[in-house]
Amino acid sequence: MTARLELRKIETNPVPIELACALCPAFELNICEAASGATWAAARKKPIAIHQTAYVAPARKIVCREHDLHDVVPVICDGWAASVAMLSDSSRQILSFLLPGDLISTALLFEPRAHFQVEAITDVSYRVFRRAELKAAMLNNPALLENLSRAWSEEKTRSDQLIVDLGRRTADERIARLILSLAERLARRGMTKGEATEFEFPLRQHHIADATGLTPVHVSKVLSEFRRRGLIRISERSLTILDQKNFHRIAHTR
């Protein structure tokens, strides 16, 4: 697989997730805790060994390509990535931003191909789990099945909201909703701080444009207006929502 040549393998471990993973801010959110030895022990069942390999992908590199065959299910451990649909004219639509704890695609649990490519926005570390072993574990561990079902449901909800945003919402609404969605997802991971919500924000205007169906120029105008009105503050690598009430009002005006 061509994309794999751009990555650096950092470890291989043919056992359930190590204790070190418990330090991950998203450890409890997705499959990681449910696949760990602690959860299996609580269920009084013998753990099923799930082989896993960890990789690091530098920023702007492709983590996986559209239509490549995979026998693994990747999970983001650290950094930001994006799932991207490429069009024949080389234009792009960002389908989702991937944060720590996110499966690259829940579809890879059931089929060997992803129907989009995944690109690293920042340096990204991620683990891949063998599909067959993960499915076997899923059938024997209700907690893992529940978490995987929740991951699929959240992915479907984000997809549905993207359709509504692109089809019916204004530019202001689209951008405000994108920022609030990221803030809420990061808050669940304990990755925000302060009364005025502040969080890491490595996205550039072209990322926001590709995610909202707008042009970078239009995104620049909207963000400038948000800043002028004292709704947000954007620095080199962070964003702060200064006026929660009015920012939510913009995002949910219809």
Side-chain angles (χ1 to χ4, degrees):
M1 189 166 60
T2 304
R4 197 64 79 215
L5 299 177
E6 300 170 340
L7 309 179
R8 178 166 57 88
K9 184 187 294 187
I10 56 177
E11 64 177 287
T12 299
N13 180 29
V15 296
I17 292 186
E18 298 177 358
L19 181 60
C21 290
L23 300 176
C24 172
F27 182 63
E28 299 178 357
L29 293 180
N30 217 311
I31 69 171
C32 297
E33 183 183 35
S36 70
T39 301
W40 286 96
R44 298 184 178 179
K45 293 182 179 180
K46 182 179 179 180
I48 295 176
I50 305 176
H51 291 75
Q52 56 181 285
T53 305
Y55 293 91
V56 172
R60 295 181 294 279
K61 294 297 185 181
I62 296 175
V63 174
C64 73
R65 298 182 186 277
E66 184 178 7
H67 302 312
D68 275 350
L69 291 172
H70 304 270
D71 62 357
V72 295
V73 179
V75 178
I76 301 294
C77 297
D78 186 58
W80 289 46
S83 56
V84 182
M86 300 297 299
L87 282 67
S88 58
D89 63 356
S90 297
S91 59
R92 302 151 40 97
Q93 174 67 51
I94 290 180
L95 305 175
S96 180
F97 292 107
L98 302 172
L99 305 176
D102 284 339
L103 278 78
I104 282 180
S105 172
T106 55
L108 288 176
L109 285 165
F110 309 104
E111 59 182 3
R113 297 180 188 273
H115 300 290
F116 49 78
Q117 72 180 26
V118 175
E119 301 176 3
I121 295 175
T122 65
D123 290 350
V124 167
S125 62
Y126 67 99
R127 291 179 183 270
V128 298
F129 301 85
R130 292 184 183 176
R131 180 188 300 106
E133 295 172 351
L134 194 57
K135 290 174 71 174
M138 180 173 64
L139 295 175
N140 287 276
N141 187 343
L144 180 56
L145 177 59
E146 180 179 350
N147 282 18
L148 288 169
S149 298
R150 184 168 61 247
W152 176 86
S153 178
E154 291 175 356
E155 185 177 303
K156 177 68 165 56
T157 298
R158 290 199 300 270
S159 177
D160 291 344
Q161 287 301 314
L162 177 62
I163 292 171
V164 177
D165 288 348
L166 296 179
R168 292 297 179 182
R169 298 191 188 278
T170 67
D172 288 17
E173 291 168 342
R174 296 181 201 180
I175 295 174
R177 288 173 62 82
L178 173 64
I179 292 172
L180 284 174
S181 174
L182 289 169
E184 291 167 3
R185 292 169 63 194
L186 290 166
R188 291 201 298 272
R189 292 158 170 79
M191 297 174 68
T192 60
K193 60 182 179 180
E195 294 182 4
T197 304
E198 180 181 358
F199 51 92
E200 178 187 3
F201 195 73
L203 305 184
R204 296 296 178 256
Q205 289 176 7
H206 67 88
H207 294 124
I208 300 173
D210 289 343
T212 56
L214 303 169
T215 66
V217 172
H218 200 162
V219 169
S220 177
K221 291 180 179 178
V222 172
L223 292 178
S224 294
E225 180 62 14
F226 286 169
R227 287 193 293 261
R228 187 191 68 78
R229 295 167 60 182
L231 299 172
I232 63 172
R233 179 175 62 242
I234 302 178
S235 64
E236 180 65 23
R237 294 282 295 185
S238 68
L239 185 147
T240 306
I241 302 175
L242 301 172
D243 188 341
Q244 293 275 356
K245 181 178 179 180
N246 284 319
F247 202 58
H248 275 82
R249 183 177 292 119
I250 290 173
H252 303 288
T253 54
R254 67 179 79 189

